[in-house]
Amino acid sequence: MQHGPAVRRRKLGAELRALRTGAGLTSGEAARLVGWHQSKVSRIETGASGVKPADVRLLLDAYGVRDSQLREMLLMLAGSDDGGGRHHWWHAYRGVLPPTYRDFISLESQASAMRTLETSVVPGLLQTPEYARAVTRAAVSGLDDATDERLDALVAVRLARQDVLHADPPLRLSAVLDEAVLRREIGGPEVMKRQLGRLLEAARLPHVRLQVLPFAAGEHIGITGPFVIFSFSSTSDLDVVVLDHLTSSLYLERKEDLQAYTEAFNALRIHALSPEESMDYIAALGGGA
């Protein structure tokens, strides 16, 4: 388990190493092609050091990589604003966002699909402004810098993140919501009613799949806590699991971890109500919202 930036460096390095060997080059030969010392190539491939997007372009050109989607993904892993129209808008909020949150947003903006289990609150991508404010206020209430300005900025970030659902192409979202998410009255009854209505609106989008895991399902593998699985169109080797904690996030990249969480999510979907049944359930809770 590593923090997000280390995960991305290692994934980028592993992909570049595979591309180099696929091109039939040693690290020394690759270094000579781009005018570097061999140790720089090695540090990049092991994730020991970061790499600028311009350097990634040099390596990709040297390796003869022409796949535009793969190039785009690797450049974004290196921190580039290239491709997809999903620029690093969150940099404007650098002063209020912790590094782990910035990294989560970066992955979310680059991913092609997101699978998530939520056990306490509505996923951030589906929150109404009032619900987002109530959740954010609770999350920062104990912090020394919990000012109104910081609260406003964090809510603005949460709402701006939702643009990925309307991008071209949009992020494909599959969410399993524990029944507790729907019954926990956050922000008061009117706020909650509007939030349930927002879930119904989102569930009608062709790239959003919502399922409710009712209390009647009993014990299930999701009781260990919420998680997110990000998938990327270029290669499954870039997929990552994110576990959120109060003060930090953990990122799991090993294939066995990805397989375990993928199997867990699939099992949760089987135990959950179908998307159609889930919409009926949400509508009933919201009084026809």
Side-chain angles (χ1 to χ4, degrees), residues 12-34 36-46 56 58-65 70 74:
L12 176 58
E15 191 69 18
L16 290 172
R17 181 171 60 251
L19 291 171
R20 173 180 58 76
T21 57
L25 298 170
T26 66
S27 57
E29 291 169 338
R32 285 192 292 274
L33 282 175
V34 295
W36 298 346
H37 193 279
Q38 186 270 341
S39 61
K40 180 174 180 177
V41 174
S42 296
R43 288 196 305 272
I44 290 172
E45 291 184 352
T46 59
V56 172
L58 283 176
L59 292 174
L60 295 178
D61 290 343
Y63 303 159
V65 178
L70 180 57
L74 297 179

Side-chain angles (χ1 to χ4, degrees), residues 78-212:
S80 172
D81 284 340
D82 287 358
R86 301 175 184 177
H87 300 310
H88 294 178
W89 55 265
W90 55 91
H91 285 180
Y93 298 91
R94 184 177 294 273
V96 297
L97 298 180
T100 52
Y101 191 20
R102 293 200 303 268
D103 202 62
F104 181 91
I105 297 172
S106 176
L107 288 172
E108 186 178 71
S109 71
Q110 299 163 18
S112 59
M114 173 180 173
R115 288 164 286 175
T116 180
L117 165 69
E118 291 291 347
T119 58
S120 298
V121 299
V122 169
L125 295 182
L126 303 177
Q127 294 177 4
T128 65
E130 299 91 347
Y131 186 100
R133 178 168 291 273
V135 169
T136 305
R137 182 184 293 112
V140 303
S141 60
L143 302 179
D144 293 336
D145 58 349
T147 62
D148 288 342
E149 291 77 10
R150 177 176 172 80
L151 177 61
D152 290 343
L154 290 173
V155 172
V157 167
R158 182 158 299 199
L159 298 178
R161 285 172 46 202
Q162 298 176 2
D163 287 347
V164 297
L165 293 178
H166 306 285
D168 184 19
L171 176 75
R172 300 191 308 277
L173 174 63
S174 180
V176 173
L177 309 182
D178 190 274
E179 184 175 344
V181 172
L182 308 178
R183 293 193 177 274
R184 180 169 288 103
E185 195 172 275
I186 290 177
E190 288 304 313
V191 169
M192 200 63 203
K193 181 177 181 179
R194 287 191 290 272
Q195 178 59 72
L196 293 175
R198 172 73 179 97
L199 289 177
L200 291 176
E201 292 174 5
R204 296 186 184 101
L205 296 173
H207 52 280
V208 174
R209 179 188 178 101
L210 296 184
Q211 291 182 256
V212 175

Side-chain angles (χ1 to χ4, degrees), residues 7 11 73 77 107 111-113 115 228-242 251-255 257-259 262:
V7 168
K11 286 183 177 295
M73 176 57 62
L77 284 177
L107 288 172
S112 59
R115 288 164 286 175
V228 173
I229 307 172
F230 285 121
S231 299
F232 301 87
S233 57
S234 297
T235 171
S236 62
D237 288 340
L238 298 178
D239 292 0
V240 61
V241 175
V242 184
Y251 295 73
L252 289 73
E253 59 175 332
R254 298 185 309 167
K255 289 185 177 180
D257 292 326
L258 287 164
Q259 181 177 351
T262 296

